[in-house]
Amino acid sequence: MEYHDTDAFLIFCRSIRRNDPGIVEIQCDYDSEAMVEHLCESLIENTVVHTYTVELSVMEEHEMVALAELLERNVTLKTLNVDCRGGNVLFKGEGIPRFTEALAHCHLQKIRICNKHVSYAGFISYFCDSLAQNSTIRTLDLYAMFIRDYEAIALGEALHTNSSIQALQLKKSSISDFGTIHICNGLQQNCTVTDMRWDAISSRGMLAVIDMLKKNTS
């Protein structure tokens, strides 16, 4: 929902703080200074909203920190969607470790990250380190992400360790054959992922997927 009127936006934030039962999903899709921060602050003690979607051209460090604080303190938010509008690099800077560290111990059940472009080098690696520790996320959706080879290795290792993810979605993500093989290696011993959606795979990559499915019984 877009709020171009400042007064209307502040009223909306107050309603969130008061646990308005009519507000269960929030979509922030308007690039405005401090909007993400205000919404995150309002959501910290909210127990009604279950889905929060952030769609921006770029996410600044202070916005990632605000999201991290929300994930650390809110125990009822179930779904977080972070989408990049256009072809910009969404995640960058010192806010990345803070945001991804919060994911390790958050209470989310679903997270969707969509960059539609090259993500900041190292973001996926930080992200995967957190996934390896997380025990609540059931659905991992990395839509249209550019995943480098070393990041694919990290993702494979996270999937090997994680015991909560049940659905893995990698639709339209750019992953090399080398990366595909390492992700599949991680999935071979995974016994919780039962729903996998993955396209844009070469014939060699598909052979790795087939081999993984033969060795994985889940």
Side-chain angles (χ1 to χ4, degrees), residues 8-204:
F9 175 69
L10 293 177
I11 291 172
F12 181 63
C13 288
R14 284 198 292 270
S15 297
I16 296 172
R17 292 192 186 96
R18 294 170 181 167
N19 274 322
D20 185 327
I23 305 175
V24 295
E25 297 186 25
I26 295 176
Q27 181 172 347
C28 176
D29 54 3
Y30 179 54
D31 285 309
S32 176
E33 184 67 25
M35 179 171 279
V36 171
E37 291 175 284
H38 279 302
L39 286 172
C40 287
E41 181 181 350
S42 300
L43 280 166
I44 284 176
E45 296 185 1
N46 179 281
T47 59
V48 177
V49 175
H50 57 69
T51 301
Y52 182 30
T53 298
V54 182
E55 183 179 343
L56 301 171
S57 297
V58 63
M59 183 164 287
E60 301 294 344
E61 179 179 345
H62 60 88
E63 292 170 324
M64 282 187 280
V65 171
L67 273 176
E69 292 176 352
L70 169 62
L71 294 179
E72 290 168 349
R73 298 174 61 182
N74 183 294
V75 298
T76 56
L77 186 68
K78 301 304 179 187
T79 300
L80 175 64
N81 304 309
V82 184
D83 292 1
C84 176
R85 181 190 298 144
N88 297 302
V89 176
L90 180 57
F91 297 100
K92 59 183 179 180
E94 296 301 320
I96 290 177
R98 182 79 168 81
F99 172 63
T100 53
E101 182 180 348
L103 287 172
H105 307 291
C106 72
H107 296 266
L108 294 174
Q109 293 184 1
K110 177 179 179 179
I111 183 166
R112 180 180 190 267
I113 304 291
C114 173
N115 201 87
K116 301 178 184 177
H117 196 58
V118 179
S119 60
Y120 182 88
F123 171 74
I124 294 293
S125 295
Y126 278 111
F127 183 76
C128 289
D129 286 343
S130 298
L131 281 179
Q133 302 175 60
N134 182 277
S135 60
T136 63
I137 294 176
R138 303 286 182 266
T139 300
L140 172 62
D141 186 352
L142 298 177
Y143 182 84
M145 294 288 286
F146 183 89
I147 300 178
R148 300 168 180 81
D149 287 345
Y150 69 89
E151 294 172 325
I153 293 174
L155 180 56
E157 292 174 349
L159 291 170
H160 175 77
T161 304
N162 182 280
S163 59
S164 66
I165 295 174
Q166 300 172 359
L168 174 64
Q169 301 183 20
L170 297 170
K171 297 184 70 174
K172 298 191 181 301
S173 287
S174 177
I175 307 172
S176 71
D177 290 339
F178 178 85
T180 298
I181 290 170
H182 278 277
I183 292 174
C184 288
N185 287 343
L187 285 168
Q188 283 183 11
Q189 303 301 318
N190 181 290
C191 59
T192 57
V193 175
T194 57
D195 180 5
M196 185 173 70
R197 304 183 186 188
W198 194 350
D199 56 13
I201 304 177
S202 69
S203 56
R204 183 183 178 192

